[in-house]
Amino acid sequence: MKAQVAPLEGNKVKLSVEVEETEVEQAIDETFAKFSRELRVPGFRPGKAPRRVLEARIGRPAARHEALEQHIPYWYGRAVRDKAVDVINEPEIEVTAGEDDGPVAFDAVVEVRPQLKLAGYESLKVTVPSPVVSEEELNRQIDRLRGNSASLAPVAREARAGDSVVIDMSATNDGQAVAGMSYTDYSVEVGAGNDLPELDEHLPGAKAGETRDFEADLGGSPVKVEVVVKQVQEKVLPDVTDEWASEASEFSTVEELRHDIETRMSGIKRVQAAMTLRNGTLEALVALVDEEPPEVLVDAEVRRSAEELGRRLDGQGVRLERYLEATGRTLEQLIAELRTQAVPTVKADLGLRAVAEALGIEPSESELEGFMESMAAGSGVDPNVFKEQVERAGRRLAVRSDLKKSKAFDWLVEHAEVTDEEGNGVDRALLVSAGQGTDQLSSAGPAGATGVAGTEGAASDEPGAGE
């Protein structure tokens, strides 16, 4: 069999395939063998009818036609594999020769995955929250801990956020007292998010002896509220001493307490910065992709996302109708949202492929084996079983493509220019939290960066397709 590939306009190619007569005859033989098994011929057991009897009964032209119907998809798939054509849609096939006799030739016009040329991927710029705990942040955390053992002291000034204000309060509706809305010596912390939100609006600036009148919304019904400020109290925080540290924590000194708080905060900030680096790297890459992705890829990603959502809902025992009702969306709105989310996902997939191609990334067989073992472990599947499933489904090239994209993503993360919100460079060593290696920061690839399933589902390599 021979095959040639010619580019066409509109992100399509024409695959011209020629099949030798001997291979066509073999296909016809297989078709007659199939007829022999399936057809009941008087006087013969199933599968035992001679070829000449079948030819007389069915006719060679009909058998040839059936053979071509059955085998052209196979020949097409072989040509796609041999020429590594990265198809993303069903082909339009036209037989150009050999419908009646002789060698067979056909053309297959098919849409292929775009091969992008990206400029600027070598130095993506990503802003992350600073992984360093500032003195101000540490002191704020210490003050929060001090607040747990703070005392209250009366002050003559006006009330401000954080103060406790002792009030008498009453509420009326059309001149009638509202039940449950009258309090005496009621203590309110200003700015703490009170059950009556209007208190946080009208108490700041009030002094002892003043009265504040305002309207409030009580369950959709407006009421008039009168508040008499009796006392303003401020929090008095305990001094930061070793004695206080031992009473407020399991540590005996302030130094030990501060070190523990800083360690915990640093771990959180490093993880946040590392996650932001991954997400930001992918977002910066997507921004470089100007071309709109093919609709077939977007449609495929929408289907993948919808199926994933369906599996999650099934796992929770929730019907789609109930989910839509709870989220206040129609099915059309949900699909539109999935489509909006699908576009950057597909762009990320195309962008990573472009980077892998530009960098000449070609994983070794040992790397591929390790990658599949890692995927198997993540899925809770025996590695040998996983590899067998990959081979049986003809997905080895697709898995290799996933690995190439993962390695491309690692490269982008490693080479991105990383700064904090103030424009200061960030030490990459600080983006690795305790127990987390640099490979773990990015080996998850785009899936780990975006929090969605791998992009291979959005742009799946069909069995036999190129990478």
Side-chain angles (χ1 to χ4, degrees):
M1 189 184 76
K2 300 177 182 178
Q4 292 182 334
V5 182
L8 299 177
E9 190 176 353
N11 204 48
K12 292 184 178 182
V13 299
K14 182 171 72 173
L15 194 61
S16 298
V17 181
E18 296 179 10
V19 184
E20 295 84 353
E21 188 171 4
T22 54
E23 193 168 353
V24 176
E25 286 299 324
Q26 182 180 349
I28 296 173
D29 290 342
E30 292 175 5
T31 300
F32 273 115
K34 174 174 173 288
F35 285 156
S36 178
R37 292 189 302 270
E38 296 176 352
L39 295 179
R40 297 182 64 86
V41 181
F44 298 95
R45 295 195 307 273
K48 298 298 183 179
R51 167 76 172 264
R52 57 182 174 74
V53 174
L54 292 171
E55 284 194 18
R57 184 181 180 92
I58 298 169
R60 182 176 173 84
R64 183 182 181 90
H65 180 268
E66 178 69 15
L68 296 188
E69 285 284 328
Q70 295 295 321
H71 284 77
I72 282 179
Y74 165 72
W75 292 325
Y76 162 77
R78 271 178 53 192
V80 165
R81 288 192 297 272
D82 292 346
K83 293 298 181 179
V85 182
D86 197 0
V87 302
I88 60 174
N89 209 346
E90 294 297 322
E92 297 177 2
I93 295 178
E94 179 185 3
V95 178
T96 57
E99 284 192 279
D100 299 323
D101 55 33
V104 170
F106 63 88
D107 291 337
V109 175
V110 65
E111 189 173 6
V112 296
R113 198 185 315 271
Q115 294 184 337
L116 308 183
K117 300 294 183 184
L118 296 182
Y121 71 86
E122 302 91 339
S123 56
L124 300 178
K125 297 182 179 180
V126 182
T127 301
V128 303
S130 174
V132 178
V133 180
S134 68
E135 193 70 17
E136 181 182 358
E137 290 173 321
L138 182 57
N139 288 336
R140 280 202 302 267
Q141 195 63 27
I142 292 288
D143 287 345
R144 289 193 186 97
L145 191 58
R146 292 167 69 197
N148 294 336
S149 52
S151 59
L152 295 174
V155 291
R157 59 171 173 76
E158 66 267 2
R160 56 194 182 204
D163 289 340
S164 289
V165 180
V166 180
I167 62 173
D168 291 342
M169 185 176 75
S170 61
T172 59
N173 186 359
D174 291 334
Q176 300 296 317
V178 177
M181 288 289 291
S182 294
Y183 300 94
T184 301
D185 294 333
Y186 181 54
S187 182
V188 176
E189 183 176 344
V190 180
N194 292 283
D195 292 339
L196 193 65
E198 288 81 3
L199 287 174
D200 285 335
E201 298 177 19
H202 295 279
L203 286 182
K207 290 184 177 181
E210 293 184 355
T211 299
R212 293 292 171 98
D213 297 312
F214 54 87
E215 282 195 352
D217 184 5
L218 189 64
S221 176
V223 296
K224 291 184 177 181
V225 180
E226 180 182 87
V227 172
V228 177
V229 179
K230 302 179 73 173
Q231 192 176 63
V232 177
Q233 301 171 325
E234 69 176 0
K235 289 182 178 180
V236 180
L237 303 180
D239 292 335
V240 182
T241 63
D242 290 345
E243 181 180 2
W244 165 77
S246 63
E247 292 176 353
S249 69
E250 68 270 32
F251 302 100
S252 57
T253 66
V254 172
E255 182 179 359
E256 292 174 348
L257 174 61
R258 288 178 67 89
H259 176 72
D260 179 73
I261 292 175
E262 183 176 14
T263 300
R264 293 173 184 270
M265 292 181 66
S266 177
I268 294 173
K269 288 174 70 69
R270 289 185 180 196
V271 169
Q272 290 175 337
M275 291 177 63
T276 303
L277 172 58
R278 294 196 296 273
N279 294 340
T281 298
L282 206 63
E283 291 171 1
L285 176 66
V286 169
L288 296 181
V289 181
D290 296 327
E291 298 88 341
E292 286 302 310
E295 282 298 307
V296 64
L297 294 183
V298 177
D299 290 342
E301 172 61 14
V302 171
R303 285 195 301 272
R304 187 202 62 79
S305 298
E307 290 168 359
E308 182 180 333
L309 174 61
R311 286 192 295 270
R312 291 204 307 268
L313 294 179
D314 287 344
Q316 299 168 8
V318 178
R319 292 183 297 107
L320 177 61
E321 294 80 4
R322 181 67 180 274
Y323 170 76
L324 292 173
E325 181 182 347
T327 57
R329 288 179 290 185
T330 65
L331 180 60
E332 291 73 17
Q333 289 173 326
L334 173 62
I335 293 174
E337 289 179 16
L338 294 179
R339 178 166 290 276
T340 299
Q341 297 164 7
V343 172
T345 300
V346 177
K347 283 188 173 184
D349 176 86
L350 296 175
L352 289 171
R353 290 171 186 271
V355 173
E357 184 69 21
L359 296 175
I361 294 176
E362 285 297 338
S364 65
E365 284 302 308
S366 62
E367 287 177 318
L368 182 59
E369 290 292 314
F371 185 66
M372 285 195 286
E373 289 174 3
S374 177
M375 292 177 70
S379 304
V381 179
D382 179 87
N384 292 326
V385 174
F386 183 85
K387 293 175 186 177
E388 182 182 342
Q389 292 173 343
V390 168
E391 296 294 345
R392 188 167 59 248
R395 298 285 296 171
R396 189 176 182 85
L397 283 177
V399 175
R400 177 181 287 275
S401 180
D402 275 338
L403 177 54
K404 289 173 65 173
K405 288 185 293 182
S406 180
K407 291 173 71 68
F409 182 71
D410 289 347
W411 191 94
L412 292 173
V413 171
E414 181 181 348
H415 289 80
E417 180 183 334
V418 189
T419 59
D420 62 21
E421 296 95 331
E422 297 180 357
N424 302 314
V426 173
D427 182 359
R428 284 179 171 274
L430 297 180
L431 301 183
V432 184
S433 61
Q436 182 182 37
T438 53
D439 58 330
Q440 292 173 298
L441 279 180
S442 54
S443 62
T450 61
V452 297
T455 54
E456 200 61 39
S460 59
D461 296 276
E462 298 294 336
E467 298 178 53

